[in-house]
Amino acid sequence: MTRPRISDVAAAAGVSVTTVSLVLNDVESRISADTRLRVREAARAVGYTPSSVARGLRTQQTRTVGLISDHIATTPFAGRMLAGAQDAARAVGHLVFLIDTGGDAQIEHEAIAALSAQRVDAMIYASMWHQILEAPAGLPAGTVFLDCRPAGGGFRSVVPDDRAGGAAAVRELVRAGHRRIAYLDTSDTPIASGLRHEGYLSVLAEAGIRVDPALHVSGETSAHGGRGAAEHLLDLPEEQRPTAIFCFNDRMAGGVYTAAHHRGLEIPRDLSIVGYDDQQLIAAEQDPPLTTVALPHYEMGRWAMEVALGVRAEGDQDAAHQMECPVIRRDSVGPPPAQVAKPNRRRASHTDRLPEAAIDR
C-alpha cells in the first residue's frame, strides 16, 4: 500500500493542494470553517497524516527528544525516571527516543551522533545512580544530566539529595528512641554512600549521640553483602550492639532481615531497620514491610525533560538541582528493646513480650 498523499486529500475534499496544506498546518488564512472541516474529514477518510520531517523543516522542530542512558531501561526501579520524562514530553507533544548503551562508550558515541543527525529538539543524558562523570564529546549545549552531574559543570543536572535523605532515615530512628544506630554502607557507589554517611553523622551530632566507629560497616551492595555486614554488627559485644540499622539500600536491608531472622530476632521488636531506594519488589514485600527512603526517580525524570524543553526555566549550569528523598514509613521501625537480643537466641513468642514499662524509650 502506498502512503496517502496531500493530493489525495485535495481530490476527496474538492479543493486545491494549497488549501489542504494551509488547513492541516493551521496557517492563518481566509479559508471558511466549512472548508476546514471538509478538508480534515477528507484527511481522516483517506488516512493522511502530515510528514513530521517536512513539518520539522518548516518549524525547525522535530518534536522529538533524545534520552541516552547507561542501564536504566533494564533496571526496573530506575524505570520511573523514564516514565517521568515521557509524561513531561507527551504533555507538550514530544516523543522520546531512548537509547540504552549498557555502559558501552562506543554505543554512546554512536547514539549521540545519531540523535544529533535526527535533529532532536533536546537531549537528556541519564545514569542509573548518582555519580559525577565526564561529559561525553558531542553533547549539545542544552543537554540535561539526569541522576548524575558533569565534572566541571557546564550543563544543567538533577540528582537526589542523598545527604538529606540519609539524615531523614537516621532521624526516623532517633525519634523512635534509638541511640545505638549503625550505618550499613557500601563502597560501590561512593558519591551516594558518602553523602548518606554525612547525613547519618549530622543527625547523631544534633541528637547528642557519640559516634561509634564500630557501628559503621561496609559490604557488597546486595542482600548477601547486607547479611554479612549485619552478622558482624550483631556479633559485637552487647554494650556496642546496635538496636537499629540504617542500610545503604533496600537490597542490603533484605540481607539484614535474613541475618536477624536467622538469630531469632523479631523486627522491629528486637531490631529496627531503615532502607533506601524504596524498591517496591523488595521494600514493601519484606516481613514486616520495610521503612525506607524513596529516590525521586519519577520527579527527577520529569524535571529533566521540562528543563530540556524549556517548560521549566530553573536549572543552574554549575550547580546540580537536588530533589527531596522522602521517608516511606512502614513497619520495620519501633522503640529500642530494654535489652539488646543476644546472638542465636530463640525466637520469642507473643507471650514473651516485655511489659511496656520495661521498654527503654
Side-chain angles (χ1 to χ4, degrees):
M1 295 180 64
T2 59
R3 177 189 174 95
R5 297 171 298 178
I6 192 170
S7 58
D8 298 322
V9 179
V15 297
S16 68
V17 169
T18 300
T19 298
V20 172
S21 178
L22 292 172
V23 171
L24 297 184
N25 288 292
D26 292 318
V27 176
E28 290 294 332
S29 71
R30 297 180 181 179
I31 299 172
S32 69
D34 288 343
T35 300
R36 289 178 179 275
L37 178 61
R38 191 164 74 251
V39 168
R40 292 195 174 97
E41 288 178 344
R44 282 193 293 271
V46 303
Y48 175 81
T49 55
S51 166
S52 60
V53 174
R55 185 190 298 118
L57 291 173
R58 287 191 301 272
T59 65
Q60 297 300 301
Q61 283 191 321
T62 60
R63 314 296 291 179
T64 58
V65 180
L67 196 158
I68 300 172
S69 78
D70 45 16
H71 301 280
I72 292 175
T74 55
T75 306
F77 78 95
R80 293 283 295 162
M81 283 195 285
L82 301 182
Q86 288 180 327
D87 285 351
R90 189 181 301 115
V92 291
H94 280 68
L95 293 176
V96 179
F97 291 155
L98 168 65
I99 300 179
D100 194 280
T101 68
D104 187 303
Q106 181 59 34
I107 295 176
E108 181 180 272
H109 173 74
E110 294 170 356
I112 294 172
L115 291 171
S116 297
Q118 289 294 322
R119 301 172 63 88
V120 294
D121 295 338
M123 206 176 292
I124 294 173
Y125 186 87
S127 172
M128 189 175 71
W129 64 80
H130 185 175
Q131 57 183 303
I132 298 175
L133 42 76
E134 293 294 334
L139 286 177
T143 299
V144 176
F145 280 62
L146 171 57
D147 204 19
C148 54
R149 293 178 281 165
F155 293 90
R156 291 176 174 84
S157 60
V158 58
V159 295
D161 190 346
D162 277 307
R163 189 182 190 280
V170 180
R171 197 170 287 117
E172 195 75 10
L173 295 169
V174 170
R175 285 172 180 163
H178 294 275
R179 297 188 68 80
R180 295 202 299 281
I181 303 170
Y183 176 40
L184 206 165
D185 202 351
T186 180
S187 58
D188 293 344
T189 53
I191 301 298
S193 167
L195 290 171
R196 294 173 197 178
H197 185 226
E198 288 177 13
Y200 164 82
L201 294 175
S202 71
V203 174
L204 294 188
E206 73 183 31
I209 299 174
R210 182 181 64 84
V211 175
D212 184 349
L215 297 183
H216 181 200
V217 297
S218 296
E220 296 176 4
T221 314
S222 64
H224 176 75
R227 179 175 180 177
E231 295 282 3
H232 173 78
L233 288 168
L234 296 174
D235 282 338
L236 289 171
E238 185 175 326
E239 65 276 7
Q240 279 189 292
R241 207 172 303 144
T243 62
I245 301 177
F246 165 42
C247 302
F248 174 78
N249 69 5
D250 295 342
R251 293 169 62 201
M252 299 183 82
V256 178
Y257 270 72
T258 301
H261 292 323
H262 180 73
R263 292 168 182 253
L265 304 182
E266 186 175 330
I267 301 167
R269 193 187 75 168
D270 300 317
L271 182 68
S272 289
I273 303 172
V274 175
Y276 209 106
D277 289 353
D278 193 28
Q279 296 188 37
Q280 290 299 315
L281 297 180
I282 299 177
E285 300 303 319
Q286 294 291 345
D287 182 20
L290 175 67
T291 291
T292 187
V293 176
L295 284 171
H297 284 131
Y298 180 89
E299 293 78 8
M300 290 193 299
R302 190 173 193 97
W303 187 97
M305 183 61 70
E306 289 177 346
V307 169
L309 292 175
V311 176
R312 184 189 293 262
E314 56 188 282
D316 186 341
Q317 288 191 341
D318 295 316
H321 179 76
Q322 299 187 79
M323 284 208 158
E324 178 188 5
C325 302
V327 173
I328 307 300
R329 295 179 178 87
R330 295 193 177 97
D331 302 320
S332 64
V333 174
Q339 181 179 5
V340 180
K342 290 183 169 57
N344 300 318
R345 59 172 277 186
R346 66 185 178 85
R347 183 180 296 277
S349 68
H350 292 293
T351 58
D352 294 332
R353 292 186 183 275
L354 292 170
E356 187 172 339
I359 296 176
D360 177 12
R361 297 184 186 276

